[in-house]
Amino acid sequence: MLRSVFLAAAGSSRLERLVESAPVSKGIVRRFVAGSEVRDALSTTRGLADDGLAISLDYLGEDTLTAEQATATKDQYLTLLGQLREAGLTPAAEVSVKLSALGQKVDDRMAYDHASQICAAAQEAGTTVTLDMEDHTTTDSTLEILAELRKDFPATGAVLQAYLRRTEGDCRELATAGSRVRLCKGAYAEPESVAYQSTLDVDKSYVRCLNILMSGEGYPMVATHDPRLIAIAEDRARWFDRSPDEYEFQMLYGCRPEEQARLAGAGHTVRVYVPYGDQWYGYLMRRLAERPANLAFFGRALTSRK
Ligand SMILES: Cc1cc2nc3c(=O)[nH]c(=O)nc-3n(C[C@H](O)[C@H](O)[C@H](O)COP(=O)(O)OP(=O)(O)OC[C@H]3O[C@@H](n4cnc5c(N)ncnc54)[C@H](O)[C@@H]3O)c2cc1C
């Protein structure tokens, strides 16, 4: 119930203006977002890399409706990749990209062209790109663009969402040599016709998908904070005899940092997804939808008026 309220709020531009203009304590945003500027992204990246973690940076923004905005987002990624390279932070850091921020909902060719330039800059910087997955109306287009990009940039990563009924099939398609696949539960409000609705069904789907990816030939990226699924992934990695450079765990910046450190300490590769930029509203609402404890934190931040 609370989840659907926040996911509906994530799409409300009126509420967005209200929340962004409220004197919300910077604490809540800072907990999940590295900061507004590239320099904030770089300093957070350095700190995480010094702790032995890998990073995927996301320049916040989605559902871009103009060509100018899409170009500006692409330019922001090119600047980021150039600076990561200069700072010696690649290959520890890669980037995550939302195609909707590159104009996918206006013209998917434009999104492909921008994504291709970002992939070229990433390759030049010695690192990779992962295409985030958004709501189910974009899944086919995103997978088509991924397939195109992989012709020139085979290391481009995909994201598959276990809550979608189609995902087991997509896992089979993508569990091929060299294919990097991030498996997550899924963060959008989706109808029953396309997505499992109960947490149990989503978790069961996650395990089925994990089995396909771990037993396949690709590179699984296990994106979850769920202790049970992490334990199952550790078990499958052992079962399928995968060494630590043949899969990785991924978690969001600000979520379960002790678990990130524990897994890294145990010899696993752990990548932290680090968002930065001003357009944090939709991202924050999805994090609030996931976890009531984040809501209490948000409430305290709102009332502290700092
Ligand atoms: C690296 C990364 C990239 C992602 N990319 C995408 C994407 O491209 N598209 C998309 O739709 N979604 C994406 N997501 C979000 C994802 O789909 C889920 O919405 C999100 O990860 C929450 O699901 P969960 O698996 O962590 O488990 P949940 O079902 O949220 O939580 C399960 C259990 O995990 C524990 N837990 C969860 N969070 C915490 C916490 N902060 N602190 C302590 N315990 C906690 C609790 O025990 C909880 O009961 C991404 C997630 C990650 C980690």
Side-chain angles (χ1 to χ4, degrees):
M1 165 67 184
L2 209 52
R3 179 172 184 269
S4 46
V5 170
F6 276 102
L7 291 180
S12 160
S13 48
R14 244 178 88 207
L15 203 58
E16 176 172 359
R17 284 193 295 278
L18 198 72
V19 172
E20 283 187 346
S21 61
V24 179
S25 158
K26 288 196 175 113
I28 180 66
V29 179
R30 283 238 186 93
R31 180 177 159 174
F32 297 108
V33 175
S36 305
E37 310 291 336
V38 174
R39 65 169 178 274
D40 302 319
L42 290 181
S43 70
T44 300
T45 298
R46 178 160 313 282
L48 293 166
D50 287 349
D51 288 341
L53 298 162
I55 300 97
S56 190
L57 282 155
D58 164 44
Y59 177 60
L60 287 165
E62 49 201 270
D63 296 341
T64 293
L65 294 177
T66 67
E68 292 72 27
Q69 254 182 303
T71 303
T73 299
K74 179 260 299 173
D75 289 343
Q76 182 64 230
Y77 273 104
L78 299 191
T79 303
L80 172 66
L81 283 160
Q83 295 199 15
L84 284 170
R85 181 192 190 176
E86 272 172 33
L89 290 169
T90 54
E94 65 140 31
V95 295
S96 284
V97 173
K98 283 188 174 51
L99 289 176
S100 81
L102 299 178
Q104 182 184 32
K105 289 185 179 170
V106 184
D107 173 2
D108 53 9
R109 200 66 217 168
M110 171 168 69
Y112 164 79
D113 288 340
H114 288 322
S116 176
Q117 288 181 58
I118 295 170
C119 289
Q123 185 166 279
E124 178 84 15
T127 191
T128 49
V129 175
T130 298
L131 298 184
D132 281 351
M133 192 60 87
E134 302 178 68
D135 71 80
H136 80 278
T137 62
T138 64
T139 309
D140 281 330
S141 158
T142 299
L143 292 179
E144 278 160 29
I145 292 175
L146 174 85
E148 278 291 297
L149 289 171
R150 279 190 170 164
K151 289 180 189 158
D152 295 321
F153 309 103
T156 307
V159 177
L160 295 176
Q161 298 153 316
Y163 65 12
L164 291 186
R165 296 176 192 277
R166 61 178 284 166
T167 294
E168 268 181 83
D170 290 331
C171 285
R172 275 190 207 96
E173 290 279 310
L174 290 179
T176 54
S179 167
R180 297 167 60 248
V181 180
R182 173 194 301 160
L183 179 65
C184 65
K185 288 189 185 180
Y188 297 79
E190 298 289 15
E192 193 173 0
S193 52
V194 297
Y196 301 112
Q197 302 293 308
S198 76
T199 49
L200 180 63
D201 283 340
V202 175
D203 290 358
K204 284 188 339 198
S205 168
Y206 196 104
V207 175
R208 290 194 298 272
C209 293
L210 190 61
N211 289 341
I212 295 167
L213 296 176
M214 282 286 194
S215 62
E217 294 187 8
Y219 180 84
M221 304 187 279
V222 183
T224 183
H225 313 98
D226 191 324
R228 278 205 317 164
L229 294 178
I230 291 169
I232 291 170
E234 286 183 280
D235 177 68
R236 297 303 187 270
R238 272 192 301 273
W239 181 259
F240 291 110
D241 209 17
R242 282 182 175 259
S243 58
D245 60 349
E246 292 177 321
Y247 66 96
E248 67 186 43
F249 286 102
Q250 297 192 343
M251 292 190 208
L252 302 176
Y253 179 64
C255 296
R256 305 201 70 199
E258 306 81 13
E259 179 65 358
Q260 295 169 17
R262 183 193 73 80
L263 286 166
H268 297 289
T269 303
V270 180
R271 190 175 301 277
V272 183
Y273 182 101
V274 179
Y276 77 100
D278 288 328
Q279 291 185 53
W280 44 262
Y281 174 80
Y283 180 84
L284 182 66
M285 288 300 132
R286 289 194 292 277
R287 301 296 73 83
L288 294 177
E290 274 153 22
R291 201 165 150 73
N294 292 342
L295 182 61
F297 191 82
F298 187 54
R300 281 200 300 279
L302 274 173
T303 49
S304 76
R305 301 209 150 249
K306 280 189 277 174

